[in-house]
Structures are given as C-alpha cells and as structure tokens.
C-alpha cells in the first residue's frame, strides 16, 4: 500500500552547519578603549611627555611669591665659584660648535661661553631685564616666568644648543619645559643642564631641596627621560680639587672641614642629551 510522501526531516543543527564557515562576530571598540589607544599613540610621538616626574607636593616652594617679584631687583653676583665656571666653560668648548645658534635658558648677566668661540646667534632668557642687558654674549633676550607659562615663543627647530646653568632647581614644571626645549632644538641639537649644590633655598622645589647631590642628578636624568626623543642622558661630574666622579671618592669628613675653614668648593654636575633623529623607546 502506497504511503503519502513526506519531506525528509531537517538535519540537526550541529550536522547541517558542519561544513558551513562560522559567521564572524565583531565587537565595536568602546570609546574608552579607543581614547586610551589614541592617548598612547600621542605619548609615543617625539617631543611628547610620556610621564610626569614630579608629584604635586614635589613641585612646591617655601616662598609662594611669584618668581617675577622675587627677581624684580638685579643681582650682579656670581652664584658658583671659579672652579665650577671653568669646568662649565671647558664643557661648552668641547660640546658647542662655532657658528651655531644658542639659547641660554634662565640666564643672567654672566656668560659662561668660551670667549674665543663665535656664534651665529645667542638668545637669552631670564627674569630680570637689567641682568640680561649686561650679558655681553647675548644678541637678543626675553623675560618670561616659566613657572607661569612654559611655552617658548620661539620657532621650532631653530637652535643648535640650549643651555641651562644653575637654575633647573627652580622649575616647577620641568617636564613641560624640557618638551619645549626639544621642540626648539634642531635634530642633533644638544641640551646641557648644569648645576651645583647651591640654591635659593626658599625658591627651589621640594624634590630638589629634600634630595642629595646624587638624587638631584637622577632627577634631571628623569626630566630628559620624560620627553620622547631625547637620547640617553650623559652625566658629567667633577668634584672639588679637579677629581672626576662623585663626592664618595673623598673622605666623608673633608666636606665638613672645608666648610668650617671657609675653603669649601662647588661640585660640578652636568646632564647632557641630544634631540635624536629618531624617537628613543624604553
């Protein structure tokens, strides 16, 4: 007896789609993920700040007056001794090129550039116009408080060298200032930051006041590391008496005896880095 025709039952789902390519599912990236990725990309660009070195507390000063008020009157004095100045001038003699363009950041009435070297242009910056006007090596100068506004009104890639002498301890936003230095330097340009253990104590930032000579050197190294594109920082040390290296090479009591006798000399420190042709990654 013939039975009525019935269509075959469908295969189980697992079997029916056994040879069918799986359908890909895409998840839309969240806004927070996209923003974080873009932020990481921005931080990897040359000249960008990859991290903040100082805490808010570390940026503080004992004297809360504006720096413009503090430096309103000129101080025609030298802030370091002759040994320090000689070491710095010799360093400039070795690292700077005649005919180059130089920015002397946080400058004063004294120039430490070698007298025999001629430069195409030397631009000075500081907080007291009378002091800067007395500086014999400056072709131009401008007055600006970098703790209020870190932007340098200078063209990008316009200098071969930037100098900062015994003043880095007063910067409350060094990361932004170092980024601006990177911007105005030409590729291959050098930034030389020199300092000793002297300071206007009430105007130096907390992280500097509370540190040792060693920690201050490391702090400046970190300033360079905070900006993408600087080469690995080089540290130059010269202890009193002409010996290279740190204070640890001397007996511990020598500094104390020199202080009592009035013969204490200024140690010399310089941290140097170049604007790299390519970004440097950690």
């Amino acid at each position: 007896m013939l039975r009525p025709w019935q269509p075959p039952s469908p295969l189980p789902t697992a079997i029916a789609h056994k040879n069918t390519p799986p359908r890909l599912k895409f998840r839309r990236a969240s806004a927070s993920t996209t923003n974080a990725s873009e932020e990481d990309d921005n931080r990897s660009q040359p000249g960008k700040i990859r991290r903040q070195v100082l805490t808010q507390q570390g940026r503080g000063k004992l004297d809360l007056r504006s720096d413009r008020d503090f430096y309103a009157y000129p101080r025609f004095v030298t802030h370091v001794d002759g040994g320090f100045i000689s070491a710095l001038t010799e360093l400039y003699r070795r690292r700077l090129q005649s005919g180059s363009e130089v920015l002397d950041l946080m400058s004063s009435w004294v120039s430490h550039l070698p007298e025999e070297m001629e430069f195409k242009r030397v631009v000075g910056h500081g907080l007291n116009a009378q002091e800067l006007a007395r500086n014999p090596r400056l072709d131009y100068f401008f007055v600006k408080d970098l703790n209020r506004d870190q932007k340098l009104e200078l063209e990008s890639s316009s200098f071969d060298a930037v100098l900062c002498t015994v003043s880095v301890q007063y910067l409350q936003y060094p990361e932004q200032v170092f980024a601006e230095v990177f911007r105005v330097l030409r590729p291959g340009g050098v930034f030389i930051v020199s300092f000793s253990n002297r300071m206007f104590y009430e105007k130096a930032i907390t992280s500097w006041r509370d540190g040792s000579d060693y920690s201050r050197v490391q702090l400046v190294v970190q300033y360079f590391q905070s900006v993408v594109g600087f080469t690995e920082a080089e540290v130059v040390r010269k202890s009193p008496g002409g010996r290279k290296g740190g204070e640890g090479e001397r007996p511990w009591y020598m500094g104390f005896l020199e202080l009592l006798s009035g013969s204490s000399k200024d140690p010399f420190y310089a941290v140097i880095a170049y604007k790299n042709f390519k970004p440097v990654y950690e």
Side-chain angles (χ1 to χ4, degrees):
M1 181 175 178
L2 296 177
R3 296 181 181 178
W5 180 85
Q6 295 180 351
S9 60
L11 294 174
T13 301
I15 299 176
H17 298 284
K18 180 178 180 180
N19 297 320
T20 303
R23 180 177 297 177
L24 298 178
K25 295 183 179 180
F26 297 93
R27 178 179 296 176
R28 184 184 299 273
S30 65
S32 60
T33 303
T34 303
N35 292 338
S37 178
E38 292 177 352
E39 185 176 349
D40 289 341
D41 290 340
N42 289 335
R43 287 182 178 178
S44 66
Q45 295 298 314
K48 298 297 183 181
I49 300 173
R50 56 161 58 99
R51 65 176 178 273
Q52 297 294 323
V53 175
L54 299 177
T55 64
Q56 193 61 34
Q57 180 180 2
R59 302 179 198 275
K61 296 185 176 186
L62 296 176
D63 188 339
L64 301 181
R65 289 179 296 165
S66 72
D67 291 342
R68 290 293 295 270
D69 291 340
F70 184 80
Y71 294 100
Y73 297 96
R75 294 176 173 87
F76 295 114
V77 297
T78 55
H79 300 288
V80 283
D81 63 21
F84 182 100
I85 294 173
S86 296
L88 181 59
T89 300
E90 180 59 31
L91 178 64
Y92 288 165
R93 186 175 287 114
R94 297 198 310 267
R95 297 302 179 104
L96 303 181
Q97 299 292 325
S98 295
S100 60
E101 296 182 86
V102 178
L103 172 61
D104 194 353
L105 207 61
M106 306 177 78
S107 186
S108 69
W109 69 289
V110 177
S111 174
H112 306 99
L113 295 172
E115 293 183 1
E116 75 278 5
M117 294 185 71
E118 295 292 335
F119 300 94
K120 181 178 180 180
R121 178 177 63 141
V122 180
V123 177
H125 154 266
L127 279 171
N128 188 281
Q130 290 177 269
E131 289 188 23
L132 296 172
R134 288 273 297 271
N135 191 318
R137 298 304 299 269
L138 301 183
D139 298 304
Y140 313 95
F141 68 80
F142 63 97
V143 175
K144 187 181 185 70
D145 184 353
L146 293 178
N147 287 331
R148 291 291 183 87
D149 180 10
Q150 294 78 49
K151 179 72 174 178
L152 296 174
E153 303 301 329
L154 301 166
E155 293 183 6
S156 299
S157 302
S158 55
F159 291 94
D160 303 294
V162 177
L163 316 174
C164 182
T165 305
V166 294
S167 297
V168 69
Q169 61 267 30
Y170 307 120
L171 289 175
Q172 292 180 284
Y173 303 96
E175 305 93 341
Q176 286 80 354
V177 173
F178 275 55
E180 275 294 282
V181 169
F182 184 93
R183 181 183 65 80
V184 303
L185 277 174
R186 295 188 175 104
V190 64
F191 185 19
I192 302 176
V193 180
S194 58
F195 52 93
S196 188
N197 54 7
R198 295 200 194 190
M199 70 188 88
F200 289 121
Y201 191 81
E202 67 275 22
K203 297 302 288 185
I205 62 170
T206 301
S207 292
W208 194 275
R209 292 195 318 270
D210 294 347
S212 62
D213 284 2
Y214 174 82
S215 69
R216 291 164 186 160
V217 169
Q218 296 309 308
L219 193 62
V220 178
V221 169
Q222 290 181 63
Y223 292 165
F224 277 110
Q225 292 174 342
S226 72
V227 179
V228 178
F230 275 117
T231 59
E232 182 178 354
E234 173 189 355
V235 177
V236 177
R237 298 180 176 90
K238 187 175 181 181
S239 62
R243 293 179 296 274
K244 294 183 179 180
E247 287 293 319
E249 296 180 0
R250 312 171 69 210
W252 65 269
Y253 53 83
M254 287 301 297
F256 181 69
L257 293 178
E258 289 174 352
L259 183 63
L260 291 178
S261 65
S263 63
S264 178
K265 298 181 180 180
D266 297 332
F268 174 84
Y269 302 100
V271 184
I272 307 166
Y274 294 80
K275 180 175 181 176
N276 205 353
F277 292 92
K278 297 180 181 180
V280 176
Y281 299 99
E282 290 186 334

